[in-house]
Amino acid sequence: MVLVAQELPLVCLMLLLLRREPGVDAQAGQDFTVQQPQAKVTVTVGETLTLDCITSGDAGPGPVMWLKGWGSGSKTVYDPNIEDPSSRVTRAVNGSDTNFTIHIRNVQPEDMGTYYCVKFVKGMTGADEFFGRGSGTEVTVQAKPSPPLVSGPEQRARPDKSVPFTCTTGGFFPDKIDVKWSKNGNPMTAQPPQVTQSRMKTYNMSSTVQVTLQKDDARSQITCEVTHPTLPAPLQGSFQLSRVLRVPPSVEVRAEPSPAEVNKTVAFTCLLKEFYPAKVSISWLENGIRIKGQNLSGPLEVSRGLFELRSRVEVQATEEKNGSTITCRVVHDGQAPANDSAVLWISNTAQGGFQMDKGANVLSSLLLLSMGVLLEKGLLGGLLFFLFKRMNRKASEMLPYPAAPQSPAPAVGSQGLATVSSDL
Ligand SMILES: *[C@@H]1O[C@H](CO)[C@@H](O)[C@H](O)[C@H]1NC(C)=O
Ligand SMILES: *[C@@H]1O[C@H](CO)[C@@H](O)[C@H](O)[C@H]1NC(C)=O
């Protein structure tokens, strides 16, 4: 009993002390609550985030603030004591004692985190002391990817060449993104996309696919389809393969008729088949010398987006043109020229008169040839030359004016020789 009597006042004092603190709260703040009805909020970059906070009860004087994060890393987002007109944060209901909802405009990826609505009370020292907080609102920021852009090679490429195409998009958040490629609606396999973070904390994506071009790709298109949680439907970017395809023409020259009768007209047609793009120029050459031809039309689109073109040139089949080469030279889309040629043949089934002419020619040619050979032999040549000169002089003596002294027989002879050899 002695023990009890001695300890009783101490116990009483402790009980009094214990009662004292709840006693203060019972007067101010016993039923005070801070409610954050939103557990999770998702907001898109650039938009305004609204964070709801309602208090009930009375906790006594002291501000309600918003903090981002809890503990050592926490940051004050809203403090009613600080007036900052440039702040992105404003109260939804100015001056309210119970509604502490705030708006944060132009949300950025770095605004991600958990936000707390916190009640402070004036402590004994006059400083704000923590009193209570809401359960927190977890904010997720997201950003839509920009419309995908597909780029291709700088220069055109021929069929069977494998060329890379790249699809890019950016500004999205979070980084989870999916890319699918297709050609004319058929899926293609691509390398995994590369995702990088930008200075703005959002992400950029680049995906590359190799495409082997085909001759009939002038009407093909490839499509890059991007899927992201922010998108209600995938975004697409596409590329027309006609922008990078070059199909060189096949070039073929035909002569009509062949062989031709002498002095008749021969038509040479140059046919350019299956080329792309339509940009082409044709020139005609006769034994390497330019002649004038005519395109029968502009390039015509015939099949699968490929073009065809015909050009024509008419040549008079004179005897000396027998064996002439007529060339169609094609410059397609600024590339090295492509050629095809046909030979002008003149048929030998000519009439008798023509044959006789030919015979006489041969006879005189033979005569001149033998003379030329003899001249070259020298001895007899000299004699002939002498006789020839004398004959000339005699002839000139009979004329009132002397003949030109220079009519050198060897010159005549060698000319004859030249004619013969070219005839043979
Ligand atoms: C062809 O034409 C040339 C020149 O016009 C003429 O000299 C020649 O006799 C003609 N030949 C024929 C076989 O008609
Ligand atoms: C043209 O040349 C061909 C081949 O050399 C020959 O067969 C033909 O007889 C020639 N035609 C004429 C008219 O000379």
Side-chain angles (χ1 to χ4, degrees), residues 366-378 380-381 413 417:
L366 277 170
L367 220 88
L368 278 161
L369 172 70
S370 53
M371 216 168 97
V373 167
L374 290 174
L375 280 168
E376 277 201 343
K377 291 274 173 196
L380 196 60
L417 189 68

Side-chain angles (χ1 to χ4, degrees), residues 260 262 319 322-323 344-350 354 358:
V262 74
E319 207 178 331
N322 191 22
L344 175 66
W345 289 127
I346 297 171
S347 61
N348 229 349
T349 57
F354 170 68
K358 181 90 181 167

Side-chain angles (χ1 to χ4, degrees), residues 19 44 76 87 105 146 182 184 194 205 244 249 271 295 396 410:
R19 251 196 72 77
T44 300
T76 302
S87 170
R105 62 180 171 78
S146 59
S182 61
N184 300 332
Q194 290 200 305
M205 184 284 299
V244 294
L271 174 59
N295 291 353
S396 62

